[in-house]
Amino acid sequence: MNKEKYKELSVKLSENYNIANIMNIITKINDKFSDKDIFLEITEDSVVIYLYQLDVDAFSKYINSIDNDETEFIVKLIECITSIKSYGIKGKKRVFVDYNKERKVANRKSKENDRNQNFYADSHVFAKENNSVPPEYLNKIICDKSENFLKKLPDNCIDLVITSPPYNFGLAYENHYDANLWDTYFEKLFEIFDECIRVLKYGGRIIVNVQPLFSDYIPTHHIISNHFLQRKMIWKGEIIWEKNNYNCKYTAWGSWKSPSSPYLKYTWEFIEIFCKGDLKKPGNSNNIDISAEEFKQWVVAKWSIAPERKMKEYGHPAMFPEQLVERALKLFSYKNDVILDPFNGAGTSTLVAHKNDRNYIGIDISEEYCKTAEERILKSRNQMSIL
Ligand SMILES: C[S@@+](CC[C@H](N)C(=O)[O-])C[C@H]1O[C@@H](n2cnc3c(N)ncnc32)[C@H](O)[C@@H]1O
């Protein structure tokens, strides 16, 4: 057995432990788990854990189920393993070894400076002073064109924009024609996004959910991202929203079993995240509401979330699932922040902001959708007051 392959940890043996019991636990663990993943040895004064990869939840569940009188040892063993903060994820398993090896770069910080990290945003001229949203617009659903309404907001007053714009797919929206010339579409979209950038606070974030129209060969996610880069926003990252919807037919737009024009299938959408002026967003630590477990899971930038199932009920053809907005808000904003959705539709962003103690402004051109957005918040308020 090449022990160099494993991460080595140890738990000190205490006088209180019954060595026969400890040996029994070690044997059970070694029998239960593959020695390619984990194995334990006992020395004079400690138990050595050789760790490669592990489903920590399954491991904890198993050793807590072993009949024994060594609770303290079991707790220490689990603590020792879970205290490791540097690991990769493979399926449900944490990979503890070699994960960082290939990435370890000496003098990483100074090399970042040598390369001029996020150089494209260097010469931005964003003001650092932030402002407040006029109270008459706070926590309101606004029925208007965003390109009109946003002009009423001062610069630097919004903490986070989260939105999914219409994608020009030809969907049947109540008050918006969704099949414009692509040039016209992007021109209008960028007019609104430029206003979003203006009203965003210094350090604020803009999160845009984008689904390209693959059958028109328009890489909307790249075109939108390029626009933000040109406006000197800093790219924070991209999340793959895996919807697992295998609806599209192999031959609908391409060739079947022929290289002449195979059509690629996508079961996911993109979520692009940009920051204004600074990657860091200051905030009061009392206003952080993400748990450790949520944080660990959600920073892995592939989110498997089923599409919203109640679109018919709410009469809107392209809604966010609440879970997606909740993850984004808890990961990228603080409680009491102001959240803006300039394409608010049936109001999922504003509802989730409200449910998670954020302030909101939601804008949509459709009166019908705005009414639905209002009703959803009202219903949630009533439910909260009953509890
Ligand atoms: C993809 S939907 C957003 C759905 C929303 N995320 C939800 O969960 O319900 C895009 C929305 O943008 C709205 N819209 C289109 N053009 C607009 C504009 N110029 N200003 C404001 N809203 C607009 C449409 O009415 C539509 O509801």
Side-chain angles (χ1 to χ4, degrees), residues 146-147 164 166 173 176 316 318-320 342-343 345-346 348 364-365 369:
S146 277
E147 58 273 36
S164 65
Y173 288 112
H176 161 82
H316 192 287
M319 290 169 64
F320 274 148
F343 299 103
T348 316
D364 203 282
I365 40 169
Y369 300 155

Side-chain angles (χ1 to χ4, degrees), residues 12 41 50 61 98 121 145 155 205 283 303 330 333:
K12 278 254 169 285
E41 281 180 0
Y50 294 93
K61 206 167 159 197
D98 286 342
K145 289 182 175 171
D155 295 353
R205 280 92 188 245
W303 293 355
K330 284 182 159 185
S333 74

Side-chain angles (χ1 to χ4, degrees), residues 272-288:
E272 304 295 334
I273 305 145
F274 285 87
C275 306
K276 179 170 167 183
D278 201 327
L279 282 160
K280 282 201 181 136
K281 185 173 189 330
N284 183 333
S285 59
N286 292 327
N287 288 333
I288 296 171

Side-chain angles (χ1 to χ4, degrees), residues 141-143 171-176 311 314-319 343-348 350 362-376:
I141 303 294
I142 287 150
C143 185
L171 291 187
Y173 288 112
E174 196 262 329
N175 189 17
H176 161 82
M311 295 199 222
Y314 291 118
H316 192 287
M319 290 169 64
F343 299 103
N344 194 43
T348 316
T350 44
I363 313 165
D364 203 282
I365 40 169
S366 155
E367 264 183 45
E368 190 183 309
Y369 300 155
C370 287
K371 201 163 155 253
T372 306
E374 295 267 21
E375 283 167 3
R376 289 173 82 192

Side-chain angles (χ1 to χ4, degrees), residues 88-193:
I89 302 272
K90 198 167 94 189
K92 277 188 169 175
K93 285 185 178 175
R94 297 183 189 181
V95 183
F96 294 98
V97 184
D98 286 342
Y99 166 62
N100 277 328
K101 241 188 195 164
E102 72 213 47
R103 298 166 193 215
K104 279 222 170 96
V105 173
N107 306 322
R108 196 170 59 89
K109 209 65 217 149
S110 79
K111 284 174 185 163
E112 269 171 20
N113 289 336
D114 291 348
R115 287 192 298 255
N116 192 9
Q117 195 189 42
N118 54 61
F119 69 97
Y120 50 83
D122 260 0
S123 55
H124 74 75
V125 288
F126 298 129
K128 288 193 173 166
E129 304 78 53
N130 290 330
N131 297 305
S132 302
V133 169
E136 65 267 33
Y137 301 134
L138 204 58
N139 298 322
K140 293 277 156 53
I141 303 294
I142 287 150
C143 185
D144 200 347
K145 289 182 175 171
S146 277
E147 58 273 36
N148 294 345
F149 175 77
L150 286 171
K151 295 200 176 79
K152 298 182 185 169
L153 295 180
D155 295 353
N156 292 33
C157 65
I158 299 290
D159 292 280
L160 182 136
V161 174
I162 180 162
T163 198
S164 65
Y167 299 136
N168 213 29
F169 278 15
L171 291 187
Y173 288 112
E174 196 262 329
N175 189 17
H176 161 82
Y177 183 65
D178 195 41
N180 286 299
L181 274 177
W182 282 108
D183 277 2
T184 317
Y185 165 78
F186 283 115
E187 201 178 307
K188 176 63 59 197
L189 191 62
F190 294 157
E191 186 187 340
I192 295 171
F193 280 159

